[in-house]
Amino acid sequence: MYRSQKEQLVAEFHEIFEHAVSGVLIDFQGTTVESVTALRKSLNENGAKLRVMKNTLAKIAAKGTAYEALADSFVQNRALVYSNEDPVSHAKVMTEVAKKNEKFKIVAGLLVTGEQGKLLDAAGVDALSKLPSKEELLVKLLYVMSAPTTNFVRTLNEVPAKFVRTLAAIAETKN
């Protein structure tokens, strides 16, 4: 590989490391092209991407980013599954794939918080995958925010309703 190609790969990896909100490093040794293609398709549907890493170049590109914590794990045949938006969706996909296909092994993960990255082991990635998705969290937040006003409206509506029920009971007793 020419030096210019290596520089281009380092720049590409650095761009990934700067913008990805979380990543899962996987070992895919012994997998078939069909299974990797199916994994890529599944990840694309969830807004994530898979990038095979050139280990030495990835270590160079990780310097100065939150992904520097993963640099020791860049060995053997490794690929980075990452997302620029949702830190949970690709972890869910990878956990399911790793359960179904023994050739895919989750090595480590990283959750970027600000300028720092929290290094996760395989169990940490599994725990991350069990978190609710962004949409589910937004629905729950909306429900919690609307609950006080909903309850207040029900309370206000109960006063005239109780009055009407009382009048109906009185009218029933007079008949």
Side-chain angles (χ1 to χ4, degrees):
M1 185 180 284
Y2 295 111
R3 183 178 176 90
S4 61
Q5 291 172 317
K6 290 179 182 179
E7 288 172 352
Q8 186 179 7
L9 274 177
V10 167
E12 182 183 334
F13 292 161
H14 190 74
E15 184 76 18
I16 290 170
F17 294 151
E18 281 187 335
H19 294 98
V21 294
S22 67
V24 177
L25 198 60
I26 62 168
D27 187 353
F28 63 98
Q29 191 168 5
T31 58
T32 63
V33 174
E34 292 83 19
S35 61
V36 174
T37 304
L39 174 62
R40 284 182 194 262
K41 183 179 179 186
S42 176
L43 289 169
N44 284 336
E45 290 171 358
N46 288 293
K49 295 178 181 153
L50 181 133
R51 184 67 169 99
V52 177
M53 294 279 137
K54 298 283 270 172
N55 296 324
T56 307
L57 300 179
K59 287 179 185 179
I60 294 168
K63 288 182 181 169
T65 67
Y67 282 81
E68 196 168 1
L70 272 180
D72 294 337
S73 299
F74 292 133
V75 293
Q76 298 175 347
N77 290 339
R78 302 282 163 90
L80 180 70
V81 177
Y82 65 96
S83 175
N84 294 337
E85 299 167 7
D86 187 10
V88 178
S89 63
H90 65 286
K92 288 183 181 193
V93 172
M94 282 313 307
T95 305
E96 288 300 314
V97 168
K99 286 178 185 174
K100 292 177 185 173
N101 189 343
E102 294 175 3
K103 305 260 182 184
F104 287 108
K105 294 181 183 104
I106 296 174
V107 176
L110 188 86
L111 186 61
V112 178
T113 54
E115 296 295 319
Q116 297 292 326
K118 180 169 177 17
L119 192 60
L120 305 170
D121 58 355
V125 173
D126 186 45
L128 180 65
S129 72
K130 292 178 181 168
L131 289 175
S133 69
K134 184 178 179 180
E135 290 79 22
E136 291 174 54
L137 290 173
L138 287 173
V139 167
K140 288 179 182 181
L141 178 65
L142 182 63
Y143 177 76
V144 167
M145 290 174 61
S146 68
T149 51
T150 304
N151 290 338
F152 181 66
V153 168
R154 283 188 191 135
T155 303
L156 288 178
N157 196 29
E158 187 59 30
V159 174
K162 189 174 183 181
F163 178 70
V164 169
R165 284 193 300 270
T166 305
L167 287 178
I170 291 172
E172 221 178 85
T173 58
K174 298 226 175 186
N175 289 337

